[in-house]
Amino acid sequence: MPIEISWQQSGSTERRTLDGRGPFRIGRSRNGEVILDHAQVSRLHAEVTVDGASVRVEDKNSQNGTRIDGREITAATWSPGETLQIGPFSLRYAWAAPVYEPTRVDLDPAPAPAVPREAQAEVHAGRVQFPGAIFERRTVPIADIRATGKVSAEVEYLAVGGGLGSFCWVDHLRCYGVPASSIRVLGVAPDKAPYGKYGRLCRASQIPLHERIRSNSISTPDNIWGFPGYASRELVRDLLRGRLVGFKSILQVFGEPVLTETYTPRLGDVFRALDLEAERIGWGDMWMHGQVLGIRKTDDERFVVAYRVPNEFAPNASRSDRERFVVVRYIQIATGYPASNFLPDLQEFKHAHPEVTAVVNAYEAHDEVYRTLEQKGGTVLIRGRGIVASRVLQRLYEARERNKNIRVLHLNRSAVTEGSKYDLARRQVRNDVQQQPFNWPKAAWGGTMRKRLEAATPEQRSELMKIWGGTTTADRDDWNRINEEGVRDGWLKRFYGAVQSMTYQNGQVVTRLEGREKFQESVDLVADFVIDCTGLVARLDETPLLADLTRTYDLARNRVSRSGTPETSLAGLAVSNSFEVAGLRNGQGRVWVAGVVAANGPYAVVDSFLGLQYAALRSVDELGSLRAPGVSRMGPLKSFSQWLRWCLGRSPA
Amino acid sequence: MTPTLLGRWHTRLILFLFIGLPITFLYAWYLSAWGLSSDYAISWPFDQVWFRLPPIELSIFQDPFKFLLALLIVGLVLDIAYIQIQRFQWDQDWPFAYQFFFSWVEFFLVFYAMDFGLLDFMFPDGRIPFSTALVHFTWVFTFSFIGVLALLQIFFVRWRFKGGEIGRFPIR
């Protein structure tokens, strides 16, 4: 849990949020996390380490010493309320309050998170040291940027994010004819893998490489055509090994969803294919390690992007050397989900008991829970009923094969009695959850629903998305069986109600449900572990870069739908049908977005492989019609010849 | 597949033009030159092709084209019904199994309509025998199905997102 350190400096209160374990450096040096510029402060004066609920301070042989509440210390525990004295400064800290910033698990934990985190803290506090005053204007003279001597590249195309959204865009650009030398990608994944963050989320939410993910055969982020899909590739691979099992995939694609269970690809296959495509298009050559700090329009119809290379990628460079600019004409921003969220009552609990590790979010690493359960048995409370809850339940089922003393309480606000209704159809309900193959109805990707949503007004859009969206899981035979078996054999029990309180008693978490209507007695659910499976945060404000852009250029936002699921309850940037952000247009210069950044806009399914491909296709198509350098119109023959190159594994051009 | 009505029509026309017509041309040629004439049927295929192309029987040559045209028109009309069926599916999609099944429904509809005499105005010189129509349709269907599964999206990169419509996305 992050701590917020505050101190007085030249008459005003300075604050710095420190997230992670540390050690965080306090001193005069600009390389530290807390910079105290005074002659009585040594360059590296002291270090702070956060371990669970305890904060420790260690003096680093400073000239003038370190004191806590007047006591001289070399190493000591620093409690909330105590004053840490360094030179003329008095520092205090508090656990970062969830009131304005919900307890969250950051999704960009670069290996040494100090630098990005520090950068974020600066943006939050509105005191950006870099790029500083030069970014106070809405339009920056290009001459001023060049005069800094910090411009590392001037290119046509820049992808901000470095994840799957960026990858799809760059893949389209390359297939449309743009040379790798005109493209740059800014990201923080240590190994440049486009599936870095996605892979982490999968691992945390208990999807190993051999497990199948909730995606389609033709949702192929490594192939802009969607052919061959994963099912055909499985068939070919199995046939080459002399096995016939691959025909099952093809029959699934043929019969789904009416005759057979819907086909879904294996996570490992998706990653391997992405690696191959990354190699083919020269992804690594376009990559630059960097955390983007801000974007501004320039006076020559382009953009200047300020970024900082995280410490671990340039350990010998000074901080100033790691702060650079890229000047670019066309940008795509795909920064993804900023964080995973805890339900409000769980936030409160985490705040009151920061030391208790028994309450976890399904999107953060929590393998320890299953290891402990397999050894000792115990009771688990699952909150939420989406796809992640299904997978967690499957993982618990596997754990039960090692230890039968595992019991599962499944808590939701209310039972699902009937499915959502749209047009002439109703969504299927089974095992107390609405079921559909993917997280939206299929026609929302490229069929009648896509067309309808695009043509709709903002009001109609939020209404439609409320009906199509919501919490669902996949209609998988194994998951249905696990649910039915669990209820029948008594190790799985469902509960409904609003949570009144959560307390920690005798090493167990007690969740008290409110009494309702005629049944006024409250009910206590006692569990060894609580797993929150309710979702990811889609709030733009949680990404400092987007918050800054929205503020600086008064960008319009999409309407908020009231469906109540985290994915759809918060709105993204308003975009055109081709995902361009109108407010950022700068003459010829343009900015497109992809992924959850565009949530609740003209396209519902932004946060899916196929949705990312669609966003990429629309924006690169538009670049083609603008006659942007190197971008073809992608007619049938160009498309076919590029597809042949893909098949042969040859570089796009 | 998640087609729209316009997408169904586009796809059907493009398959008609680029798969149906060429296959029908080859089949009609074969049929009118060798197929029904015992003199040439024995020597087909290769030895005769090289030396002397047999004369084409025009009345026979036309028949497969008329049959294909009837299939196209019936299909274009049925597309309106299919899009209504789709509305009963939560996902508003069109499984490949449906595509397969209804393709053959269309074939039998057209064939029996002809056999029943409803299409005599198109076939004044006699109706097409079942085996001939079956072989013709099997070829057309097989390649069209492959077209829907794979070929169209390779040539038309936007096709799968446009519910089967051909062409670019409108700019603004």
Side-chain angles (χ1 to χ4, degrees), chain A residues 218 224-227 254 256 423 436-437 441-443 446-448 450-451 613 621-622 633-634 636 639, chain B residues 2 87-93 95-98 100 150 153-155 158 160-161 163 165 168-169 171-172:
Chain A
I218 62 161
I224 70 169
W225 302 270
F227 185 86
F254 177 78
E256 74 190 22
D423 209 356
Q436 66 191 10
K442 272 173 93 174
T448 48
R450 181 196 74 80
K451 227 177 166 180
Q613 288 198 290
D621 248 7
E622 191 162 83
R633 304 296 310 276
M634 195 53 102
S639 178
Chain B
T2 52
R87 296 172 61 197
F88 288 97
Q89 315 238 106
W90 170 255
D91 281 296
Q92 299 221 335
D93 63 337
F96 286 116
Y98 286 18
F100 185 96
Q153 64 209 72
I154 294 170
F155 286 93
R158 304 159 191 90
R160 59 182 177 144
F161 294 110
E165 287 170 40
R168 296 174 199 287
F169 289 102
I171 297 299
R172 242 148 307 282

Side-chain angles (χ1 to χ4, degrees), chain A residues 310-321:
Chain A
N311 214 350
E312 70 268 26
F313 302 123
N316 299 320
S318 73
R319 173 154 160 173
S320 163
D321 283 345

